[in-house]
């Protein structure tokens, strides 16, 4: 299954085939265990099936709609690969899955539209980067994002031994010819100082790093994201010197045994990336804190007021309390008033969709409010 990318959010926004099932499976099996996690998922599917009753689907339609959802319950490999929270979107002609690290309240939502606030919150914080780990007899390339760090399938040369065996054989022949037993032959063989082995080892390492770099460059073809280096600082400094890769992070992480835990490696490399590319959410929070009590500030709170400024196209950014209780009803764009009605639309989702329509950034928060363009 291919994860949802930013470009595909538009497809979910425009989707018109009802019913639209949104499943928020959280926390993931990493936190609660496989048995508990799958049981929670099974309960969500049953809940969604119950909610679908109001759409009066025929038996064949219902079975077709739920067939991939039921199959997912038994897919052990899927749950092993998706250890954290999972967002699932299903309608008669669409089935998409997104894996996220964030934790929310688990829920099943069946509506005329897909619910997107879990998907799009903090999406602007996503990054695309790679990590090269060079440790003893090991070289690995990872592909990272906000939510995951995954081992790349690139086959990298693992140690300088793979590169230098031929050189070692040549040196052994040379030293054999230069030994005292051969001095009487009139050859020009000679002894060198004690620093020779160190110099040879350094040259072997350079050959290895150059060969490794060629493979990494090939694996990163077309990627514009930064590369984070993890290893011995002296070794990685040499790698930087001889590498053809331009977009490397300035900071090198010293390799540690704890990095065998990919979650730890992900956290630390993501911090390196955030320091270098900035944190727009933190910058927005600082602006809000500065202006929230200012009478002429650009901060707006309260769902009715938020929907009013959204109707006017004035939203720059929205902070969404993703797990807040939904309010259903209608928004009158003329009177700029909310009329609550259980049969109406989800008004928080209306706010999210309006914000997306005008290109606003959306972030998760404890309280829902907006920062205005003007």
């Amino acid at each position: 299954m291919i994860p949802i990318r930013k470009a595909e959010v538009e497809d979910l926004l425009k989707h018109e085939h009802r019913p639209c099932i949104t499943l928020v499976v959280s926390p993931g099996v990493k936190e609660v265990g496989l048995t508990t996690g799958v049981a929670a998922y099974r309960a969500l599917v049953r809940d969604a099936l119950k909610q679908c009753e109001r759409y009066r689907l025929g038996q064949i339609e219902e079975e077709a709609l739920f067939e991939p959802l039921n199959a997912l319950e038994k897919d052990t490999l899927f749950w092993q690969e998706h250890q954290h929270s999972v967002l699932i979107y299903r309608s008669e002609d669409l089935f998409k899955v997104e894996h996220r690290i964030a934790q929310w309240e688990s829920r099943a939502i069946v509506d005329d539209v897909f619910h997107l606030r879990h998907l799009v919150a903090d999406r602007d914080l996503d990054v695309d980067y790679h990590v090269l780990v060079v440790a003893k007899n090991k070289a690995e390339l990872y592909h990272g994002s906000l939510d995951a760090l995954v081992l790349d399938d690139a086959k990298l040369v693992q140690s300088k031994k793979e590169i230098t065996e031929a050189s070692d054989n040549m040196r052994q022949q040379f030293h054999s010819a230069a030994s005292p037993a051969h001095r009487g032959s009139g050859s020009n063989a000679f002894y060198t100082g004690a620093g020779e082995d160190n110099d040879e080892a350094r040259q072997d390492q350079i050959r290895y790093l150059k060969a490794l770099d060629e493979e990494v460059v090939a694996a990163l073809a077309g990627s514009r994201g930064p590369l984070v280096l993890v290893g011995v600082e002296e070794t990685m400094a040499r790698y930087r010197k001889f590498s053809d890769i331009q977009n490397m992070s300035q900071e090198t992480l010293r390799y540690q045994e704890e990095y065998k835990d990919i979650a730890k490696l992900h956290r630390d490399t993501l911090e390196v990336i955030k320091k270098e590319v900035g944190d727009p959410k933190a910058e927005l929070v600082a602006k809000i804190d500065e202006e929230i009590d200012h009478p002429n500030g650009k901060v707006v709170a309260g769902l009715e007021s938020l929907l009013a400024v959204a109707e006017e196209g004035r939203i720059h950014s929205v902070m969404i309390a993703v797990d807040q209780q939904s309010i259903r009803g209608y928004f009158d764009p003329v009177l700029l008033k909310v009329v609550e009605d259980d049969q109406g639309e989800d008004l928080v989702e209306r706010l999210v969709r309006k914000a997306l329509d005008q290109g606003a950034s959306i972030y998760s928060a404890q309280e829902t409010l907006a920062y205005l363009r003007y």
Side-chain angles (χ1 to χ4, degrees):
M1 235 166 292
I2 301 173
I4 297 170
R5 302 272 61 88
K6 288 182 179 180
E8 296 179 89
V9 173
E10 189 68 23
D11 293 336
L12 294 174
L13 279 169
K14 295 179 177 179
H15 197 75
E16 296 180 347
H17 293 116
R18 299 180 295 172
C20 296
I21 300 173
T22 304
L23 300 181
V24 181
V25 188
S26 183
V29 297
K30 185 177 180 66
E31 290 78 26
V32 301
L34 180 62
T35 302
T36 301
V38 172
Y41 170 76
R42 186 188 309 121
L44 287 176
V45 173
R46 285 201 302 265
D47 187 1
L49 181 62
K50 180 70 174 177
Q51 292 182 51
C52 279
E53 290 178 0
R54 70 177 187 271
Y55 288 92
R56 301 183 183 281
L57 302 176
Q59 182 178 348
I60 295 177
E61 289 178 292
E62 184 178 280
E63 289 177 354
L65 181 64
F66 279 84
E67 187 276 329
L69 297 177
N70 292 328
L72 204 59
E73 177 189 333
K74 303 175 181 65
D75 190 345
T76 303
L77 181 60
F78 171 85
W79 297 107
Q80 290 174 343
E81 292 178 346
H82 296 76
Q83 292 279 303
H84 299 285
S85 299
V86 177
L87 299 174
I88 300 173
Y89 297 92
R90 174 61 178 157
S91 69
E92 66 176 42
D93 61 347
L94 184 145
F95 184 40
K96 291 188 179 295
V97 174
E98 175 81 345
H99 183 213
R100 302 293 293 271
I101 287 179
Q103 291 189 20
W104 308 288
E105 290 182 12
S106 193
R107 63 181 65 186
I109 307 159
V110 180
D111 207 342
D112 292 350
V113 297
F114 290 116
H115 284 219
L116 302 179
R117 58 182 181 256
H118 298 83
L119 174 66
V120 300
D122 297 329
R123 199 72 197 179
D124 287 350
L125 299 177
D126 207 357
V127 290
D128 184 72
Y129 70 101
H130 285 82
V131 178
L132 176 62
V133 177
V134 180
K136 185 177 181 180
N137 297 322
K138 180 178 76 170
E140 295 174 334
L141 186 66
Y142 294 86
H143 186 195
S145 67
L146 180 66
D147 294 302
L149 187 68
V150 180
L151 184 64
D152 195 282
D153 58 5
K155 301 298 181 183
L156 303 181
V157 58
Q158 292 296 293
S159 70
K160 68 180 182 180
K161 181 179 179 182
E162 296 179 35
I163 300 297
T164 60
E165 282 183 340
S167 299
D168 290 342
N169 291 336
M170 290 178 63
R171 280 198 291 269
Q172 289 173 5
Q173 293 174 12
F174 172 79
H175 287 304
S176 176
S179 67
H182 292 278
R183 284 186 178 184
S185 65
S187 71
N188 292 323
F190 58 94
Y191 284 105
T192 59
E196 179 194 38
D197 287 339
N198 289 335
D199 184 64
E200 288 175 353
R202 186 161 50 249
Q203 292 303 315
D204 286 346
Q205 185 185 64
I206 290 171
R207 278 192 288 270
Y208 163 64
L209 293 176
K210 286 183 175 180
L212 176 63
D213 188 58
E214 289 180 4
E215 295 176 336
V216 173
V217 168
L220 297 183
S223 173
R224 297 182 179 180
L227 176 68
V228 180
L229 301 181
V230 180
V232 177
E233 290 182 9
E234 182 182 357
T235 300
M236 302 320 285
R238 282 191 185 135
Y239 181 82
R240 286 180 188 276
K241 181 178 179 180
F242 296 106
S243 176
D244 290 326
I245 298 170
Q246 301 298 317
N247 195 15
M248 277 194 244
S249 68
Q250 295 301 308
E251 182 178 352
T252 295
L253 289 180
R254 179 183 292 276
Y255 181 79
Q256 47 187 285
E257 287 298 310
E258 288 85 348
Y259 286 155
K260 291 179 180 178
D261 177 5
I262 292 189
K264 166 70 172 171
L265 181 62
H266 182 219
R267 286 194 300 272
D268 287 4
T269 54
L270 193 57
E271 283 304 310
V272 171
I273 295 298
K274 284 183 176 180
K275 282 191 287 185
E276 296 193 5
V277 304
D279 188 341
K281 182 177 180 180
E283 294 169 7
L284 177 62
V285 170
K287 285 182 180 180
I288 290 173
D289 288 344
E290 182 180 340
E291 298 188 32
I292 193 165
D293 295 323
H294 196 286
N296 297 317
K298 297 180 181 178
V299 182
V300 173
L303 185 58
E304 194 167 72
S305 298
L306 288 166
L307 289 170
V309 294
E311 201 68 31
E312 296 167 357
R314 297 171 56 196
I315 293 181
H316 174 276
S317 304
V318 180
M319 306 292 283
I320 291 285
V322 177
D323 279 331
Q324 74 182 84
Q325 187 67 34
S326 293
I327 299 175
R328 301 193 74 91
Y330 304 94
F331 180 74
D332 189 321
V334 177
L335 299 177
L336 301 181
K337 295 290 185 181
V338 166
V339 178
E340 293 191 28
D341 185 335
D342 289 344
Q343 302 304 312
E345 65 179 320
D346 184 303
L347 294 174
V348 176
E349 283 298 310
R350 178 186 176 92
L351 174 62
V352 168
R353 287 167 173 268
K354 284 288 185 179
L356 289 171
D357 284 345
Q358 51 202 260
S361 298
I362 301 175
Y363 303 109
S364 61
Q366 296 299 312
E367 179 184 3
T368 297
L369 44 79
Y371 189 81
L372 304 184
R373 300 179 190 277
Y374 58 90

